[in-house]
């Protein structure tokens, strides 16, 4: 079936939320580190109540991920709000670091190709654990989380040529803790 431009943009907005962990739509996506309990393997996806065009976009993302050999590096999930592509922080970054690893750059190259095939806005969520920083580069995990999101945004914009106005970076935590 064909996807209308409007439906595709809705799905893309949802994917963006999914890719990056939040938002209102499909490709208003967010790229976030995945949590094992949140990721839904393809074979277990419940499509009940999902827009057929969202399912089509989900399938396009799955196919892209598989064709680009990164299916073992990302977790894909979806719900009626969007499609989510989650990348483990252990793959993207070193411990207590916002510098993208070599493997992370390789995965973001593929993600950049995917995003460049779409036209939606993308929200990049930064994540970190709740263990206090030991080395002091970042005063709080909140700052590390924000720095990670900005690092991914800059990489996608500067290296993968995703249009910068499509990208935004946010912190995924709800609390700001100042010691």
């Amino acid at each position: 079936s064909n996807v209308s431009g409007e439906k595709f943009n809705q799905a893309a907005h949802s994917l963006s939320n999914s890719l990056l962990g939040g938002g209102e739509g499909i490709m208003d996506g967010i790229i976030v580190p995945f949590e094992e309990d949140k990721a839904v393997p393809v074979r277990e996806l419940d499509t009940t109540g999902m827009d057929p065009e969202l399912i089509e976009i989900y399938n396009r993302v799955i196919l892209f991920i598989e064709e680009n050999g990164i299916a073992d590096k990302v977790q894909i999930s979806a719900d009626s709000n969007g499609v989510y592509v989650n990348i483990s922080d252990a793959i993207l970054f070193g411990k207590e670091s916002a510098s993208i690893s070599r493997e992370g750059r390789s995965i973001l190259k593929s993600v950049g190709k995917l995003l460049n095939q779409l036209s939606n806005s993308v929200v990049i969520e930064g994540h970190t654990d709740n263990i206090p920083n030991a080395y002091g580069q970042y005063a709080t995990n909140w700052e590390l989380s924000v720095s990670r999101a900005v690092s991914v945004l800059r990489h996608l914009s500067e290296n993968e040529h995703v249009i910068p106005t499509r990208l935004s970076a946010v912190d995924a935590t709800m609390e700001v803790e100042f010691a």
Side-chain angles (χ1 to χ4, degrees):
S1 72
N2 291 336
V3 177
S4 71
E6 182 179 329
K7 289 280 190 174
F8 180 80
N9 286 336
Q10 285 178 325
H13 181 73
S14 176
L15 178 57
S16 175
N17 274 335
S18 319
L19 274 177
L20 304 175
E24 306 167 356
I26 238 184
M27 217 32 210
D28 188 355
I30 300 172
I31 299 176
V32 297
F34 72 87
E35 298 176 25
E36 293 294 334
D37 60 337
K38 288 178 81 177
V40 178
V42 176
R43 66 186 177 281
E44 296 178 18
L45 180 66
D46 179 8
T47 59
T48 305
M50 287 180 67
D51 185 316
E53 293 178 18
L54 178 60
I55 296 167
E56 186 173 330
I57 291 173
Y58 173 81
N59 289 330
R60 285 183 59 193
V61 171
I62 292 293
L63 181 61
F64 181 91
I65 296 299
E66 290 173 352
E67 287 177 347
N68 285 275
I70 61 171
D72 61 334
K73 307 292 185 202
V74 300
Q75 294 290 320
I76 311 299
S77 59
D79 59 26
S80 61
N81 295 317
V83 176
Y84 307 86
V85 177
N86 300 308
I87 306 168
S88 169
D89 61 343
I91 291 173
L92 285 175
F93 307 103
K95 184 171 179 65
E96 298 183 18
S97 174
S99 296
I100 301 170
S101 68
R102 181 178 303 147
E103 183 177 20
R105 288 189 302 271
S106 175
I107 291 169
L108 289 176
K109 182 174 187 161
S110 293
V111 170
K113 287 179 188 177
L114 173 62
L115 295 177
N116 284 325
Q117 293 177 13
L118 304 169
S119 62
N120 58 292
S121 298
V122 178
V123 176
I124 301 162
E125 272 188 16
H127 288 258
T128 187
D129 57 33
N130 60 358
I131 300 170
N133 290 313
Y135 303 110
Q137 182 177 2
Y138 298 95
T140 65
N141 280 334
W142 176 80
E143 290 173 282
L144 174 58
S145 176
V146 170
S147 293
R148 285 178 168 182
V150 170
S151 290
V152 170
L153 181 148
R154 290 190 67 186
H155 181 87
L156 290 171
S157 172
E158 295 170 3
N159 299 91
E160 309 312 328
H161 311 291
V162 178
I163 299 169
T165 56
R166 293 179 53 208
L167 304 173
S168 61
V170 300
D171 169 52
T173 63
M174 295 300 221
E175 301 174 18
V176 178
E177 178 182 328
F178 294 96

